[in-house]
Amino acid sequence: MDSPANQNVHRLYAEHHDWLLGWLIRRVNNRADAADLTQDTFCRVLTSATSTPIAEPRAYLLTLARRLTIDLWRARDVEARYLEALAHEQEPVAVSPETLLMLKQAVMEIDALLDGLPVPVKHAFLLNRLDGMTHPTIAQTMGVSLATVERHVKRAFLHCLAARRAADSR
């Protein structure tokens, strides 16, 4: 026999699946992506189901679907930037699919850790940590003071540390 939580999810799916799929098709302009995002949305509902019905199901589903859509667009943006960088390499770089997947996952994890920070803070941090630039060089590149760069890098580092601790405590 189904639990109350499962019954709620079944009802939610039956009543709102087609509506959500239609909304996502209009949003992402791609039926396959919309179907995947719809499925992912209901998977999220399943993994976080409670025994109480959702008061505003469409608002709840839209919130989940929007977040998943943003994640999809971020992942595609990261992949496009990586492929563009590879295209500009002097020598052809042959990267195995496994290495490419690991790199994409690492970049997406870094992006998630830096989520919520202003762009200049992220930029300074990435120039320092990924490109190995010194603070004075970053200041010159970004056209800001050395003190600003030091604040930006410190803020991003502390933000990443807090995000990592929060993730580890889950």
Side-chain angles (χ1 to χ4, degrees):
M1 183 168 180
D2 278 346
S3 70
N6 283 346
Q7 289 174 355
N8 288 334
V9 172
H10 287 291
R11 187 177 313 108
L12 188 70
Y13 185 87
E15 292 175 3
H16 301 288
H17 175 270
D18 292 341
W19 165 79
L20 183 61
L21 178 62
W23 184 86
L24 282 164
I25 289 170
R26 288 186 301 278
R27 178 88 172 172
V28 298
N29 206 22
N30 180 313
R31 186 168 185 79
D33 286 342
D36 288 344
L37 289 166
T38 302
Q39 178 181 345
D40 290 347
T41 300
F42 282 102
C43 284
R44 290 273 174 100
V45 172
L46 274 172
T47 59
S48 66
T50 64
S51 59
T52 58
I54 299 167
E56 296 290 333
R58 287 194 173 185
Y60 180 73
L61 291 171
L62 279 180
T63 299
L64 291 176
R66 281 185 185 116
R67 289 177 184 164
L68 290 167
T69 302
I70 290 168
D71 289 346
L72 174 69
W73 289 338
R74 276 187 182 158
R76 290 201 175 148
D77 184 50
V78 166
E79 183 176 8
R81 288 179 190 203
Y82 179 74
L83 292 174
E84 183 180 327
L86 279 180
H88 290 26
E89 287 290 320
Q90 296 283 341
E91 297 177 24
V93 178
V95 179
S96 71
E98 295 84 10
T99 302
L100 181 60
L101 179 62
M102 286 177 18
L103 287 169
K104 282 200 283 187
Q105 288 172 339
V107 170
M108 290 185 65
E109 186 175 335
I110 291 168
D111 184 54
L113 285 173
L114 296 175
D115 192 36
L117 288 174
V119 172
V121 175
K122 288 182 188 181
H123 190 206
F125 182 75
L126 293 174
L127 288 174
N128 179 251
R129 297 299 172 164
L130 296 183
D131 292 347
M133 292 175 69
T134 64
H135 290 189
T137 306
I138 296 169
Q140 185 178 13
T141 301
M142 292 179 64
V144 296
S145 71
L146 178 59
T148 299
V149 170
E150 290 170 348
R151 274 194 313 275
H152 286 350
V153 171
K154 180 180 177 182
R155 179 178 176 190
F157 180 78
L158 293 174
H159 182 85
C160 288
L161 189 60
R164 175 55 76 192
R165 284 183 182 153
D168 289 344
S169 67
R170 288 183 208 150

